[in-house]
Amino acid sequence: MSRPSRRAVLAAGAVGVSSALAGCADERSGRVVDVPSGPQRITYGDDPSQWVELHVPDGASRGLVVVIHGGFWKAQYGAEYGAPLAEDLVARGWTAANVEYRRVGNGGGFPATLDDVHAAIGAVAADVDGPVVTLGHSAGGHLAVWAGGRTRLERWSGGPRVTHVVSQAGVLDLRAAVADDLGDGAASAFLGDADEAAYAQADPLGQVPLDVPVWAVHARDDDTVPFSQAETYVDAATAAGAEATLVEVTGGHFGVIETGSDAWAACVEVLDSV
């Protein structure tokens, strides 16, 4: 039997979340939650891709999770891939911000995409009382980990700090991604004519150690972003004295964003530990 398309799987996940909301219960944790109101769209710039959908629970919030979608930084992949995760998280009592940003092909790439992620976090996290977690898949995992250390860089200083980071099958070593031609040259296209200064600003591996905890949730059977991306990052981070944890799951590249999967349950377990 052929595997369902990525879009079909995510659409099914969204239906499952809607059913969970109707029941007002979190089956995994047993937590009963209030039915949240619909998301609010917040723009943080003039470009059509500069927006965030903010999902807020009706009851007390556990904190903010900033959801950053993947797609190898390419314009054809958008925030629809983060929407089921945000809906699942708000049902669990989190405030969830599903971020859209400029990508390669619609004005993004280095440094514009990083500018957008920084601005999006600033638009939703300035007044948060509680943890601010970035959660990103694939290229979004790169952006989530980058965001954890971005305020140390002059261009992105001064914004709200991230307190915890969860990478889902993230691209965390840009030099290896370029060398391995991941995504048919996607990392090269994102970086453009990259020099050492660009890598110093954009590559999570070059930014270790971060002063916030990082979880790298990754499947060894991932055939899109190799497991070695997570292993290399966590090894380097822990050797440098950072708090970094490798969480091995199964389910290939997309299991971590399928809300009914064991891989997503592992991500939820990480968030429950925050």
Side-chain angles (χ1 to χ4, degrees):
M1 180 182 294
S2 63
R3 187 172 185 219
S5 71
R6 182 183 186 188
R7 190 177 300 271
V9 167
L10 290 170
V15 171
V17 169
S18 298
S19 298
L21 289 175
C24 306
D26 177 343
E27 292 182 1
R28 286 199 183 96
S29 69
R31 182 183 296 108
V32 177
V33 298
D34 293 325
V35 177
S37 56
Q40 173 190 5
R41 179 166 292 201
I42 299 169
T43 59
Y44 59 86
D46 295 331
D47 190 272
S49 291
Q50 292 176 316
W51 54 264
V52 180
E53 282 193 344
L54 189 66
H55 301 247
V56 180
D58 286 346
S61 174
R62 301 170 63 186
L64 173 68
V65 180
V66 180
V67 179
I68 308 174
H69 72 82
F72 277 127
W73 309 278
K74 297 179 181 180
Q76 60 262 47
Y77 304 110
E80 65 270 17
Y81 294 110
L85 309 189
E87 292 175 6
D88 186 271
L89 291 169
V90 76
R92 298 175 187 278
W94 292 95
T95 300
N98 184 31
V99 175
E100 188 57 286
Y101 53 90
R102 290 173 293 172
R103 285 93 67 209
V104 175
N106 71 343
F110 175 82
T113 294
L114 304 182
D115 289 343
D116 282 5
V117 171
H118 175 67
I121 293 171
V124 296
D127 300 317
V128 171
D129 182 15
V132 176
V133 186
T134 50
L135 170 83
H137 174 242
S138 193
H142 158 256
L143 297 171
V145 177
W146 171 84
R150 77 196 191 288
T151 57
R152 301 185 305 191
L153 302 167
E154 183 177 358
R155 184 183 180 99
W156 300 286
S157 63
R161 290 185 69 254
V162 169
T163 63
H164 304 77
V165 175
V166 183
S167 166
Q168 304 168 291
V171 183
L172 307 183
D173 179 354
L174 290 184
R175 292 183 187 277
V178 170
D180 295 341
D181 197 35
L182 296 189
D184 295 324
S188 296
F190 167 74
L191 288 164
D193 187 15
D195 56 13
E196 287 301 313
Y199 276 103
Q201 294 180 81
D203 190 0
L205 188 61
Q207 294 174 354
V208 298
L210 296 188
D211 57 1
V212 299
V214 176
W215 289 265
V217 185
H218 212 121
R220 197 173 288 275
D221 61 345
D222 189 329
D223 60 2
T224 303
V225 175
F227 186 75
S228 59
Q229 283 274 329
E231 268 187 324
T232 298
Y233 178 85
V234 170
D235 287 348
T238 54
E243 184 179 347
T245 304
L246 180 61
V247 181
E248 184 175 345
V249 295
T250 58
H253 189 58
F254 299 108
V256 286
I257 58 169
E258 295 168 2
T259 56
S261 72
D262 289 342
W264 173 246
C267 298
V268 170
E269 184 175 353
V270 168
L271 291 171
D272 285 343
S273 73
V274 169

